[in-house]
Amino acid sequence: MAKSSSALHPAITRTLDIVQRRNHSEPVFLQAVKEVLETLGPVIEEHPDIDELNLLERLCEPERQIMFRVAWKDDAGRVNVNRGFRTQFNSVLGPYKGGLRFHPTVNMGVIKFLGFEQIFKNSLTGLNIGGAKGGADFDPAGKSDDEVMRFCQAFMNELFRYIGSRRDVPAGDMGVGPREIGYLFGQYKKLTNQFEMGVLTGKQVGWGGSLARKEATGFGVVYFAENLLQARGEGLKGKRCIVSGAGNVALYTMRKLQQLGAEVVACSDITGTVLQQGGINWELLRMCSEDERRNVDYFAQAAKGAEFRPGAKVWEVPCDYAFPCATQNELDADDARKLVENGCKMVCEGANMPCTAEAIAVLKKAGLLIGPAKAANAGGVAVSALEMQQNAGLERWTFEQVDTQLKQIMQNIFQTCTHCANKYSTKEDYIAGANVGGFLRVAQAMISHGLI
Ligand code: NDP
Ligand code: 2IT
């Protein structure tokens, strides 16, 4: 069987043309589709029915897209209007599953890129969850608790028609954490008059949430990185790491890195980059970020020996390993060159599609290990599925039980990526490995379900 060749399979070029024509105003969606499709050539050659059944085009078209008005009143009594979204991309492996993002940059293209990625990520977990994503162009920054609650209620007034524990199960993403999930759940319960625990995940642990869900994405990223490094006979102990972001994924990536003996030298957010001698004071950072909802400029003032670089990206700080955990396309070709120059050996993606295509090309050429997002950050949604499992069985597992399963799932994902990289691309091409591994399970299920 032929491995990846420079000329793309005709089914791929044809599908890319169609997707480009249909979605020309959605660059990040196109970027995500291109990255996946370009790695599928050898699989399509091996399974001609994929082309005969036009699976690629079917896969790139969401099963359903919902867009709605969200009108709500701020504390000054003014009426605000935002746009809400849910893309129910693919339900072949289970109920639609994926987070909600509240951020001013949200639009249909962003939600579609995230929903598309989610199909393959969810497939890689080996669990029965389909792919979806949603959110709104609402900016939670600077909003009062009451404003966030009123927005969540108004958002759910429309979304509730389309979700359900066996239909579509949203969770958090940027700007949506346990507080927002609580308000969303309260309104869903009010509207449906049912305590349908499994309709949302990422709930607080007191009323149906899973222990270790909060930690899961970041911990999973580090478990995946450990697997990558072990395969090269390397490890995390004593290594200098940099992490972008200071939100949920970044925080728990840093936590696990420190627990495993790595030194986290810097992190960042929209205000800039903070470095701290002897490593980032994690407890203090967690308090600033989670409890006080403050930025890293504030943390830098409180942290001993911290240096703050306003507006600077974190990638200029020399490190052994880098963990982009903030947002899409946050690491470009110049940043990648900087990392290479400074001797960085691995980039493991916590955020969804944090590296531009050009950055990936630079990193690959320099031989860095790359942990692709749809594999490396799948721990969050995997533990969401474990939360659904606990809810369905009216069970409550210990932190250790969940964490042990998370570790095993991340190892399984790594093995799938390794196997598929070796078989369909080249050794250590975990990007192709993740795409193919995620795709194969979805494709087989789509074929089984017939033309629907
Ligand atoms: P949070 O909202 O908790 O945190 C996001 C962090 O990224 C904040 O520190 C934010 O800074 C920073 N950030 C956002 N945009 C930029 C930017 N343009 N430049 C610099 N910093 C920026 O979100 P999460 O941690 O949940 O999500 C982070 C990433 O991980 C996203 O890509 C998300 O899709 C992905 N992800 C999340 C999962 C989850 O379970 N939550 C699971 C898998 C992936 P500021 O506060 O200053 O805006
Ligand atoms: O990008 C992601 O995987 C998430 N935001 C988590 C989704 C989920 O359903 O837990």
Side-chain angles (χ1 to χ4, degrees):
M1 187 207 38
K3 292 208 174 186
S4 52
S5 56
S6 49
L8 288 177
H9 190 285
I12 297 174
T13 39
R14 192 185 67 237
T15 309
L16 282 174
D17 280 351
I18 294 169
V19 175
Q20 166 80 36
R21 205 159 6 94
R22 280 205 181 115
N23 308 281
H24 53 85
S25 60
E26 298 174 338
V28 280
F29 175 57
L30 292 171
Q31 182 186 342
V33 170
K34 199 158 178 272
E35 192 244 278
V36 171
L37 261 51
E38 281 179 353
T39 58
L40 298 183
V43 186
I44 301 169
E45 275 171 32
E46 188 184 65
H47 302 280
D49 49 345
I50 290 173
D51 189 19
E52 284 155 26
L53 296 168
N54 203 8
L55 270 190
L56 295 187
E57 190 182 340
R58 286 159 63 192
L59 193 60
C60 293
E61 191 62 22
E63 291 176 12
R64 191 175 296 109
Q65 288 187 186
I66 302 144
M67 192 170 100
F68 50 97
R69 181 179 70 198
V70 187
W72 58 282
K73 262 192 186 174
D74 62 24
D75 288 345
R78 279 186 302 261
V79 175
N80 292 255
V81 177
N82 284 102
R83 192 171 268 189
F85 303 91
R86 187 75 180 162
T87 291
Q88 298 179 331
F89 223 117
N90 193 298
S91 61
V92 79
L93 294 179
Y96 303 109
K97 182 84 195 87
L100 297 172
R101 176 177 290 191
F102 291 170
H103 197 268
T105 56
V106 163
N107 57 43
M108 189 54 101
V110 169
I111 296 301
K112 275 168 67 180
F113 123 64
L114 291 163
F116 185 74
E117 290 284 290
Q118 202 82 42
I119 303 171
F120 306 96
K121 181 194 306 193
N122 293 5
S123 167
L124 281 168
T125 66
L127 303 166
N128 283 99
I129 39 180
K133 201 80 184 193
D137 59 359
F138 171 76
D139 187 359
K143 301 289 190 299
S144 71
D145 225 40
D146 275 357
E147 287 175 323
V148 170
M149 180 179 73
R150 285 196 294 275
F151 177 79
C152 288
Q153 291 173 340
F155 184 83
M156 189 51 87
N157 283 343
E158 182 61 24
L159 188 70
F160 88 100
R161 298 167 214 288
Y162 309 105
I163 61 174
S165 50
R166 294 185 177 192
R167 181 177 294 151
D168 182 355
V169 183
D173 192 79
M174 280 167 69
V176 177
R179 172 182 64 168
E180 289 73 19
I181 294 293
Y183 294 144
L184 291 164
F185 185 84
Q187 189 68 0
Y188 183 83
K189 183 164 75 67
K190 177 105 182 152
L191 290 165
T192 58
N193 195 28
Q194 285 195 68
F195 199 103
E196 191 186 338
M197 208 137 77
V199 68
L200 291 164
T201 62
K203 299 180 291 289
Q204 286 137 19
V205 288
W207 49 275
S210 174
L211 286 163
R213 172 61 187 91
K214 187 176 67 174
E215 293 83 356
T217 312
F219 280 21
V221 168
V222 180
Y223 296 150
F224 192 83
E226 264 193 311
N227 277 285
L228 286 177
L229 291 168
Q230 268 166 22
R232 267 196 187 179
E234 291 165 25
L236 286 166
K237 222 177 169 58
K239 293 291 168 25
R240 289 160 61 86
C241 298
I242 57 174
V243 178
S244 68
N248 174 267
V249 179
L251 270 179
Y252 291 93
T253 296
M254 292 187 232
R255 179 64 168 169
K256 185 50 76 181
L257 284 171
Q258 292 184 342
Q259 283 176 352
L260 295 177
E263 190 189 350
V264 179
V265 289
C267 66
S268 64
D269 66 14
I270 202 81
T271 62
T273 288
V274 59
L275 298 81
Q276 191 173 10
Q277 273 167 14
I280 296 287
N281 178 343
W282 188 83
E283 277 300 345
L284 183 64
L285 180 68
R286 189 210 62 75
M287 212 166 66
C288 294
S289 170
E290 260 182 20
D291 300 346
E292 299 188 28
R293 299 177 188 281
R294 306 296 291 254
N295 282 101
V296 296
D297 54 350
Y298 175 83
F299 163 79
Q301 283 174 16
K304 262 205 191 113
E307 178 198 339
F308 182 62
R309 299 181 180 169
K313 283 179 160 187
V314 76
W315 315 123
E316 64 192 33
V317 179
C319 68
D320 298 301
Y321 308 138
F323 295 83
C325 295
T327 192
Q328 64 268 14
N329 290 331
E330 57 169 313
L331 198 164
D332 63 22
D334 286 341
D335 301 324
R337 278 188 279 272
K338 193 93 215 155
L339 287 172
V340 173
E341 261 169 46
N342 285 337
C344 177
K345 297 277 183 303
M346 174 180 71
V347 174
C348 192
E349 299 181 329
N352 285 307
M353 205 169 73
C355 298
T356 64
E358 296 75 23
I360 293 288
V362 172
L363 299 174
K364 266 186 161 176
K365 192 161 173 227
L368 269 75
L369 273 173
I370 304 172
K374 57 176 78 62
N377 75 25
V381 76
V383 171
S384 274
L386 301 184
E387 183 172 328
M388 289 161 71
Q389 227 174 303
Q390 291 170 76
N391 292 162
L394 299 176
E395 290 183 17
R396 206 172 132 71
W397 303 341
T398 63
F399 190 97
E400 288 67 32
Q401 277 175 300
V402 179
D403 191 37
T404 303
Q405 292 195 59
L406 170 63
K407 227 178 259 176
Q408 185 62 55
I409 291 168
M410 298 315 296
Q411 192 185 334
N412 296 346
I413 295 175
F414 173 73
Q415 282 165 355
T416 302
C417 294
T418 305
H419 170 77
C420 292
N422 292 344
K423 183 164 177 198
Y424 297 103
S425 181
T426 50
K427 188 170 179 278
E428 291 194 337
D429 184 358
Y430 299 111
I431 296 180
N435 291 341
V436 172
F439 171 78
L440 276 173
R441 195 170 161 232
V442 172
Q444 280 150 8
M446 282 177 81
I447 293 169
S448 313
H449 288 193
L451 185 56
I452 47 164

